[in-house]
Amino acid sequence: MHGFFHANRCRSRHVHSSSSLLFLRWERMGDPQTKLNRKASRSLLRPERGTNKKNPSTISDAEVVRWNMAISEHMRRGRCDLALHHFQTMPRRTSVSWNAMISGYLMNDRFDLARQFFDRTPDRDIVSWNVMLGGYVRNRNLSAARALFDRMPKKDVVSWNTMLSGYAQGGYVEEAREVFDRMPDKNSISWNGILSAYIQNGRIESARQLFDSKSDWETVSWNSMMAGYLRKKRLVDARYLFDRMPERDEVSWNTMITGYAQNGELLEAQKLFEDSPVRDVFTWTAMVSGYVQNGMLMEARRIFDEMSDKNSVSWNAMIAGYSQSRKMDLARELFDAMPCRNISSWNTMITGYAQNGEIDRAWSLFNEMPRRDSISWAAIIAGYAQSGHSEEALRLFIEMKRDGERMNRSTFTCCLSTCADIAALELGKQVHGRLVKAGYETGCYVGNALLAMYCKCGSIDEAYNVFIEMPDKDVVTWNTMITGYAKHGYGREALEVFESMKKTGIGPDDVTMVGVLSACSHTGLVDKGTEYFYSMEREYGITTKAQHYTCMIDLLGRAGRLEDAQLLMKKMPFEPDGATWGALLGASRIHGDTKLGEASAKRIFELEPDNSGMYVLLSNLYASSGRWNDVGKMRLIMRDRGVRKVPGYSWIEVQNKVHTFSVGDSVHPDKDKIYGFLEELDLKMKRDGYVSSTKMVLHDVEEEEKEQMLKYHSEKLAVAFGILTIPPGRPIRVIKNLRVCEDCHSAIKHISMIVKRLIILRDSNRFHHFNNGNCSCGDYW
DNA sequence: GTAGGGTTAG
């Protein structure tokens, strides 16, 4: 089934222009699952065909019950096909049979089929309605749930409770409250529903008030309240409740023990654990995972070994513990020894291997496992994406569709962030379309991923559209937008977003301030930046970290205030790291201060001897002040120390195809056209007064061929190819893995004027929007 | 068919 992969999976990560990847025509690939659906619903239209020959009226009720139970059982085991077969061949159906099909499909994540059965159910009882309502609620489609709810001919307390918990879980506390106030009769589930609506949405004080207003709470609600305090790390309040609650069940004990364990109070946890009257699997597992989460693997293992009847969850917790502490061989030992592996065990191992850089092992486990779920796919895809194999990751998405696995929120999130990594905008847009179709466009995680995708693909306007339409924005949302604007050189827009963020009541965090400061830095807003820097502790209660100092040194340095930058560096309460010195080195390059540049570079080489970018930066600095001997020396030093320059390459997406160029590329099929076009451009540029500078040659070219080769830097090739292939009026989006060199930067400025096109270049540091001879970075990068 | 506690993915 996965042979498609085996052949190609070891290819280098270097995207090759002629490779046949990313020809992603999602729509045209056909969805086997959808075909199956259609087939199923067609045969449903002739339900009596092939049914039992017996006269339906002679079938006993008991026999119908047996059929119904068989349907439920098959559904529970994930065998929708067998359940459907039973349903179609059973001699007589009751509403229970229909309901079993509906709830079974919902259980197996086949929402569309559930809805079809619901629509066809001949006489729907209130349970059918409630099951369907629950389906919408679990799918987080609250507007549809509400529409169904309002259409219900009759509602009982279950209907009301379902709607209530839907709103609660979706974060709509006010709506939940309204439902609660309107419901004609309330049971203990309703009361607990509104209580946990508050708790789950972080409104612990409202919960406490409600809890104090009434005395006859059930144990479940006591437990909820306790868990609420624990989530807020209010261990004392939780313990107070625990000590005076009228009745404690095993959940109460387990909640309290887990609370202590997860907050590092292992001694208290251990004490309660010993006092606990009933120790079930939960109790034991809570202890194991408590020790695991605090890195106490020996203790975890001791408890684990003492457990008499371990279930798969406890095994998985222990395995996760080993893999989180990079002890993959111990994890594997347990995995091999465990009696009944479930899908989570496989997923845990795959995640472990993937996160410990053993992607090949992750891959072979993924192929060995008997059944895969969306988590398995997400784990392996994230593994490839995070280890830099973006194309493999995207290829797996296609494979996942073939396998019939449905995209869910997390696979969408994962897919979008992979698109962002390689700046596959067209693909990202297609995924966006599918996301909307699947009804997942709401939700913070996936929304943030979408936003980041548009930002990183260079489509900042579309990013903003996504941003304003996101119904619930969290800190990450705001930070992504601010940083996005900053990287595109839109400092003022970034600061505007920051100002509106402050009005929402979502407090900025340290990441926000990094975004804000770098917005100021990339736009040259020195005073504004200084003001934010010195007021962040006082005004927003954010502790100033080393990163903020680095931003500030960058800001001052770029603006030419090199002495102030050095002064601040001396004053900062942290030991400067490579990034801090790097900011100073970058500033020295812009302002041609060779002496300061050398001094900074020296410190960087001590701190990060393998950072090839810094050697290149220093060489460029020497070159720009004509110190060619030193440039030569740098090259020798790099060779002696074995520092390898990362080869520079650029890529561009044209009609869903990614084309990659490296310097002096001679493999692209259109190379003659591209080179000819570049020559032509070169003549026009020279007429414009452009002089090719040989400053940045170390970048990726050998010295002898300096001038000749510079014309063929990878970004120039990609830009030329884009102009030739992308219809006029559309921007040309190029991505480069290193910083853009000065010569290319000034050449592309000229090109943008000559061909009258908008050229957007993402380099390793930021975005450059070239338009009409200017760049959005203001030559500041 | 609707509540509370343990493992895996983002």
Side-chain angles (χ1 to χ4, degrees), chain A residues 176-229:
Chain A
R177 180 77 213 197
E178 203 196 313
V179 167
F180 178 77
D181 288 339
R182 274 181 48 207
M183 56 197 293
D185 29 43
K186 307 174 185 14
N187 60 13
S188 66
I189 297 183
S190 328
W191 281 97
N192 191 62
I194 189 64
L195 182 71
S196 45
Y198 287 133
I199 292 171
Q200 281 164 12
N201 293 289
R203 291 176 43 178
I204 192 75
E205 278 311 309
S206 312
R208 190 189 54 82
Q209 277 174 24
L210 182 75
F211 193 75
D212 288 347
S213 71
K214 174 173 172 300
S215 58
D216 54 338
W217 290 96
E218 300 238 340
T219 309
V220 173
S221 298
W222 282 88
N223 292 343
S224 299
M225 196 64 221
M226 249 168 58
Y229 279 136

Side-chain angles (χ1 to χ4, degrees), chain A residues 319-383:
Chain A
I319 293 176
Y322 283 131
S323 81
Q324 278 155 22
S325 11
R326 317 185 69 87
K327 296 188 161 77
M328 282 316 291
D329 32 344
L330 286 172
R332 183 57 186 251
E333 210 173 276
L334 278 189
F335 177 76
D336 287 337
M338 80 188 272
C340 49
R341 274 168 252 179
N342 67 7
I343 202 159
S344 289
S345 330
W346 290 87
N347 291 344
T348 308
M349 282 303 292
I350 290 174
T351 310
Y353 278 134
Q355 288 178 353
N356 284 296
E358 297 185 74
I359 190 72
D360 291 338
R361 295 209 168 157
W363 174 249
S364 45
L365 276 190
F366 181 80
N367 280 308
E368 276 171 43
M369 67 195 293
R371 209 162 59 81
R372 285 172 276 274
D373 65 3
S374 62
I375 295 178
S376 333
W377 285 97
I380 191 73
I381 291 170

Side-chain angles (χ1 to χ4, degrees), chain A residues 114-389:
Chain A
R115 178 70 208 213
Q116 283 179 27
F117 270 81
F118 175 74
D119 287 340
R120 292 206 173 88
T121 306
D123 15 51
R124 275 173 283 208
D125 58 10
I126 197 154
V127 177
S128 331
W129 285 90
N130 285 342
V131 171
M132 201 59 224
L133 183 65
Y136 277 117
V137 162
R138 266 198 305 152
N139 259 17
R140 290 291 156 87
N141 192 343
L142 288 183
S143 49
R146 185 54 188 253
L148 197 79
F149 181 73
D150 289 338
R151 265 179 51 212
M152 289 179 74
K154 255 176 69 189
K155 302 178 183 65
D156 63 5
V157 68
V158 175
S159 333
W160 285 94
N161 285 345
T162 306
M163 202 61 234
L164 168 60
S165 87
Y167 279 134
Q169 282 157 19
Y172 300 97
V173 184
E174 301 313 325
E175 285 82 352
R177 180 77 213 197
E178 203 196 313
V179 167
F180 178 77
D181 288 339
R182 274 181 48 207
M183 56 197 293
D185 29 43
K186 307 174 185 14
N187 60 13
S188 66
I189 297 183
S190 328
W191 281 97
N192 191 62
I194 189 64
L195 182 71
S196 45
Y198 287 133
I199 292 171
Q200 281 164 12
N201 293 289
R203 291 176 43 178
I204 192 75
E205 278 311 309
S206 312
R208 190 189 54 82
Q209 277 174 24
L210 182 75
F211 193 75
D212 288 347
S213 71
K214 174 173 172 300
S215 58
D216 54 338
W217 290 96
E218 300 238 340
T219 309
V220 173
S221 298
W222 282 88
N223 292 343
S224 299
M225 196 64 221
M226 249 168 58
Y229 279 136
L230 289 171
R231 203 175 307 167
K232 293 271 172 193
K233 305 195 179 301
R234 287 166 63 167
L235 302 191
V236 179
D237 292 318
R239 182 54 190 259
Y240 182 73
L241 288 187
F242 179 79
D243 285 338
R244 61 193 287 274
M245 61 194 293
E247 270 172 49
R248 282 189 284 259
D249 63 8
E250 60 271 40
V251 177
S252 325
W253 284 93
N254 291 338
T255 306
M256 200 62 228
I257 291 173
T258 311
Y260 279 131
Q262 286 181 344
N263 287 290
E265 301 275 356
L266 271 310
L267 284 177
E268 282 300 323
Q270 184 74 40
K271 239 190 268 172
L272 275 194
F273 176 72
E274 275 150 21
D275 289 348
S276 180
V278 272
R279 268 175 280 189
D280 63 5
V281 205
F282 283 85
T283 333
W284 285 92
T285 315
M287 286 308 292
V288 171
S289 84
Y291 281 126
V292 160
Q293 279 166 28
N294 286 280
M296 300 159 81
L297 286 182
M298 306 280 281
E299 289 82 354
R301 185 57 191 259
R302 189 173 48 78
I303 299 279
F304 177 78
D305 286 337
E306 273 176 43
M307 277 182 82
S308 53
D309 44 293
K310 305 180 185 60
N311 67 1
S312 48
V313 176
S314 29
W315 283 88
N316 294 347
M318 198 62 230
I319 293 176
Y322 283 131
S323 81
Q324 278 155 22
S325 11
R326 317 185 69 87
K327 296 188 161 77
M328 282 316 291
D329 32 344
L330 286 172
R332 183 57 186 251
E333 210 173 276
L334 278 189
F335 177 76
D336 287 337
M338 80 188 272
C340 49
R341 274 168 252 179
N342 67 7
I343 202 159
S344 289
S345 330
W346 290 87
N347 291 344
T348 308
M349 282 303 292
I350 290 174
T351 310
Y353 278 134
Q355 288 178 353
N356 284 296
E358 297 185 74
I359 190 72
D360 291 338
R361 295 209 168 157
W363 174 249
S364 45
L365 276 190
F366 181 80
N367 280 308
E368 276 171 43
M369 67 195 293
R371 209 162 59 81
R372 285 172 276 274
D373 65 3
S374 62
I375 295 178
S376 333
W377 285 97
I380 191 73
I381 291 170
Y384 275 112
Q386 284 160 10
S387 57
H389 299 75

Side-chain angles (χ1 to χ4, degrees), chain A residues 63-106:
Chain A
E63 199 171 336
V64 175
V65 168
R66 273 200 299 279
W67 281 91
N68 290 342
M69 281 169 60
I71 292 177
S72 302
E73 181 58 21
H74 285 312
M75 283 300 197
R76 216 175 47 74
R77 294 184 182 188
R79 297 300 305 266
C80 302
D81 49 340
L82 292 180
L84 178 63
H85 183 255
H86 266 69
F87 179 82
Q88 285 173 335
T89 49
M90 68 193 292
R92 184 158 65 84
R93 294 179 196 125
T94 62
S95 67
V96 176
S97 333
W98 285 90
N99 293 342
M101 288 304 289
I102 300 171
S103 69
Y105 277 131
L106 288 174

Side-chain angles (χ1 to χ4, degrees), chain A residues 7-64:
Chain A
N8 282 319
R9 52 164 309 278
C10 287
R11 285 184 343 95
S12 83
R13 56 173 298 204
H14 209 84
V15 195
H16 195 276
S17 47
S18 56
S19 66
S20 59
L21 56 126
L22 299 185
F23 306 155
L24 308 182
R25 300 280 152 82
W26 294 89
E27 302 309 326
R28 286 170 52 192
M29 292 193 50
D31 180 345
Q33 212 61 32
T34 313
K35 274 183 212 142
L36 211 74
N37 297 354
R38 280 196 212 109
K39 212 169 139 195
S41 62
R42 258 206 308 276
S43 49
L44 190 65
L45 291 174
R46 3 172 250 266
E48 300 308 327
R49 204 179 69 103
T51 49
N52 202 305
K53 297 256 170 3
K54 284 187 206 168
N55 179 356
S57 57
T58 65
I59 305 298
S60 72
D61 286 350
E63 199 171 336
V64 175

